Amino acid sequence: MSPDDIIKALYDETMVGNAPAVLALTQQGLAAGMTPDTMLFDALIPSLEEVGARFERGDFFVPEMLIAGKAMAGALDVLRPLLAETGVETVGKFLMGTVKGDVHDIGKNLVNIMLEGAGFEVIDVGVQVSPEKFLEKIVEHSPDIVGMSAFLTTTMPMFKVNIHEMTKAGLREQVIVMVGGAPVTQEYADVVGADGYAADASTAVRKAKALLAARRAMAKV
Ligand code: B1M
């Protein structure tokens, strides 16, 4: 199979949630010298975007979304060590979770992989993370940055709730807060009082580094 054929097959098989085929194609692509980035950005992510578009049109339902998501997650398991393979020293501690009421985790996991690749120590607190759990984990781990993902318009308001709870607990000033997820925008991040927002995983890494550098520079003054 040529690289173009692998990309097309990865896109198609992810769309129909054929996890064994997606796994095999991912391995085949790597064996053929294709980069993890190519498979991720030219096949896997666009395929899930199309799944979402079909769900919106009523052509796909939740089970189709679920199996497509699982197929993508299987490929990510193979790509994770390669995407994270940089040997960079820890640049900071990043605590990351998907907010309460929301089970989406593929995007969060991808951001985590990229952060690890850039040298961050990532503490993943999972999905459906309640405000109480965020507080507990902040106290336990003292992260530099707290990242929150939300993928539904109905769960985005949890950002504000969580930030409010951090403020009440006296923890807000100790951490940088970043938010993201498919429906989130910079304007929304500003409204809820987050310090940073990013639309995708690689921008999230750049933003996290910039926010941390700015915080450390301020601390020196
Ligand atoms: Co759901 N779902 N889903 N779903 N799902 C979406 C999000 C949706 C947009 C589909 C659609 O209608 N087009 C829609 C939300 C609509 C809205 O609110 N505006 C939706 C819906 C409605 C639902 C349910 C309500 C469906 C139902 O039950 N009727 C339900 C909700 C369940 C719940 O959470 N309570 C539901 C369930 C599910 C599944 C469980 C079946 C499955 C999730 C599997 C899983 O994650 N383990 C699923 C899936 C797979 C999707 C789509 C198809 C794909 C999501 C995905 O993984 N994208 C999705 C459609 C879509 O997004 N186009 C959809 C790929 C991923 C790499 O991108 O998640 O955007 P993304 O992550 C990006 C950025 O957002 C950013 O970087 C990531 C990597 O580049 N980012 C950050 C993420 N977090 C960040 C944090 C940062 C910075 C950047 O800083 C901290």
Side-chain angles (χ1 to χ4, degrees):
M1 254 184 168
S2 72
D4 282 350
D5 292 337
I6 292 177
I7 290 293
K8 180 167 184 326
L10 258 183
Y11 180 91
D12 292 343
E13 298 296 350
T14 303
M15 183 110 55
V16 296
N18 185 351
V22 171
L23 190 60
L25 285 161
T26 306
Q27 284 158 340
Q28 205 177 328
L30 291 174
M34 292 170 70
T35 65
D37 287 29
T38 311
M39 289 188 273
L40 197 57
F41 296 112
D42 294 350
L44 297 164
I45 291 179
S47 183
L48 275 199
E49 278 167 4
E50 178 57 21
V51 169
R54 289 184 186 196
F55 176 78
E56 265 173 43
R57 291 200 301 267
D59 295 336
F60 271 14
F61 298 96
V62 174
E64 281 98 341
M65 261 200 316
L66 189 60
I67 56 170
K70 283 203 172 135
M72 160 103 172
L76 272 188
D77 284 344
V78 175
L79 300 178
R80 174 176 284 112
L82 302 165
L83 289 163
E85 200 173 71
T86 59
V88 187
E89 277 184 30
T90 300
V91 295
K93 219 189 252 190
F94 202 111
L95 188 131
M96 178 81 150
T98 298
V99 298
K100 185 176 172 182
D102 202 321
V103 302
H104 295 86
D105 68 354
I106 297 169
K108 166 183 71 64
N109 295 346
L110 193 51
V111 174
N112 287 348
I113 292 171
M114 300 296 215
L115 285 167
E116 279 169 5
F120 279 91
E121 176 188 346
V122 176
I123 299 137
D124 184 352
V125 290
V127 296
Q128 302 246 48
V129 183
S130 65
E132 298 75 28
K133 186 164 175 188
F134 267 117
L135 294 186
E136 184 194 313
K137 294 294 173 185
I138 293 169
V139 171
E140 184 183 338
H141 296 283
S142 303
D144 299 294
I145 307 180
V146 176
M148 296 186 271
S149 296
F151 303 93
L152 301 167
T153 41
T154 49
T155 57
M156 284 161 56
M158 286 311 295
F159 291 150
K160 193 164 186 176
V161 174
N162 291 337
I163 291 172
H164 179 66
E165 291 302 319
M166 285 177 212
T167 307
K168 262 182 27 193
L171 298 169
R172 177 66 184 94
E173 295 309 314
Q174 296 174 26
V175 293
I176 293 165
V177 174
M178 275 185 70
V179 296
V184 185
T185 60
Q186 180 65 59
E187 281 132 22
Y188 193 79
D190 292 341
V191 168
V192 298
D195 301 307
Y197 155 80
D200 56 56
S202 43
T203 316
V205 171
R206 274 205 308 278
K207 190 82 198 178
K209 283 186 162 175
L211 287 168
L212 199 51
R215 172 72 58 107
R216 286 176 177 162
M218 284 277 287
K220 279 191 191 148
V221 181

